[in-house]
Amino acid sequence: MKAIKLDNIGYMPIPKVACTSIKNTFFKIKENREYDPEVDAGRHIHQFWDRNKVDINECDFRFMVIRDPIKRCLSAYSNRVGHHKELSLAKIQNSNPKIAGSFEIYTPGLGQFIDNFKQYYRVNSIGHHCKPISEWVDNDTEQFTNIYRLEEIASLQKELSNRLEQKIIFPREQTGGRKIQIQDLSKDQVDFLMEFYRQDYTLLKNYYSFDAFWKEWKIGL
């Protein structure tokens, strides 16, 4: 399994699940300094680690951090579309010129984004950040010794602090964008996203469920 290795610790990064924060923390530990894109090869911390992924199967501690699939998608919309404007005409022309002219709506609102999700999913950045967790891990969680829900990130910080013998506190990264409530979604939009992320909910059934999401959605109406 190709991922990030630090000492005898293996980490599988999943976009929009504290990924940037953990990568920056690991870099600081590994290099004893903050990541600097002007000094280090690559324009971003992700590019640094993408070129330094290794087989982590032999690591004693192999972990991943997960998140409710629909909430993860909403976070991706808020940050990548709302904050970074990656579905603006200019950004699509730069990143995906071959499909830049195929959209009726650029910088869509949330409802427009969900209603035309499969169309926007073709944009590299959107596909990358919204790609189901099950696809990132080849539908297999047995390869990990530890799985942490995002809501339990403090437990991961404590475990890493013990293993690395230093205080680990993840910085908050990539949080730009309006915070979206799940009640901002219509029932039909929730139904669509549940179907799109069905395999994720099946794979992560011991951590997140359809029923729990529906209950939370209804309570907030």
Side-chain angles (χ1 to χ4, degrees):
M1 176 173 54
K2 291 288 187 178
I4 295 172
K5 182 179 180 181
L6 183 68
D7 295 338
N8 201 25
I9 296 171
Y11 164 55
M12 172 58 76
I14 304 293
K16 299 313 301 172
V17 196
C19 174
T20 304
S21 299
I22 296 173
K23 285 180 176 179
N24 273 303
T25 298
F26 275 20
F27 181 90
K28 185 175 181 179
I29 295 169
K30 180 176 183 291
E31 303 294 335
N32 197 33
R33 62 178 175 83
E34 301 286 350
Y35 182 78
D36 183 347
E38 294 186 2
V39 174
D40 300 294
R43 294 180 294 121
H44 201 282
I45 188 69
H46 300 301
Q47 293 175 312
F48 173 85
W49 283 114
D50 284 345
R51 287 195 293 269
N52 288 275
K53 284 185 176 180
V54 297
D55 189 344
I56 65 169
N57 284 311
E58 301 303 317
C59 292
D60 291 338
F61 183 68
R62 303 180 301 280
F63 77 94
M64 65 182 292
V65 184
I66 59 174
R67 187 177 196 173
D68 175 89
I70 294 179
K71 291 181 180 180
R72 175 174 167 262
C73 179
L74 295 183
S75 176
Y77 168 81
S78 177
N79 184 244
R80 310 318 301 184
V81 181
H83 182 65
H84 289 288
K85 309 299 182 185
E86 289 179 349
L87 288 181
S88 66
L89 176 59
K91 286 289 183 72
I92 296 177
Q93 286 176 329
N94 182 59
S95 63
N96 294 86
K98 291 183 179 180
I99 62 173
S102 62
F103 300 91
E104 293 184 7
I105 301 172
Y106 296 90
T107 312
L110 176 63
Q112 296 167 327
F113 176 73
I114 302 301
D115 292 343
N116 300 280
F117 183 75
K118 291 186 177 180
Q119 182 183 33
Y120 295 123
Y121 192 77
R122 294 183 298 150
V123 176
N124 292 340
S125 174
I126 304 304
H128 176 80
H129 288 88
C130 294
K131 178 180 173 179
I133 292 174
S134 53
E135 293 184 18
W136 282 106
V137 299
D138 297 325
N139 205 36
D140 176 21
T141 58
E142 296 298 319
Q143 56 192 314
F144 302 102
T145 60
N146 295 72
I147 296 176
Y148 297 88
R149 299 193 313 153
L150 185 62
E151 297 85 350
E152 303 164 338
I153 198 76
S155 296
L156 172 59
Q157 290 177 154
K158 182 177 180 180
E159 179 64 31
L160 290 177
S161 295
N162 291 334
R163 287 179 175 272
L164 295 170
E165 299 183 337
Q166 59 181 288
K167 185 70 171 180
I168 301 297
I169 298 179
F170 301 130
R172 296 197 67 193
E173 305 280 357
Q174 295 298 342
T175 58
R178 178 178 73 87
K179 299 303 177 260
I180 297 173
Q181 305 299 316
I182 62 175
Q183 288 76 26
D184 291 337
L185 297 171
S186 69
K187 182 180 181 301
D188 287 344
Q189 290 166 346
V190 173
D191 283 335
F192 168 78
L193 290 174
M194 282 192 168
E195 183 58 34
F196 185 83
Y197 288 108
R198 178 172 295 278
Q199 190 55 50
D200 273 12
Y201 279 106
T202 299
L203 182 68
L204 307 175
K205 62 182 182 296
N206 293 329
Y207 306 92
Y208 299 104
S209 71
F210 291 125
D211 290 344
F213 186 93
W214 273 122
K215 182 177 181 180
E216 183 179 349
W217 181 80
K218 291 176 181 177
I219 288 174
L221 292 179

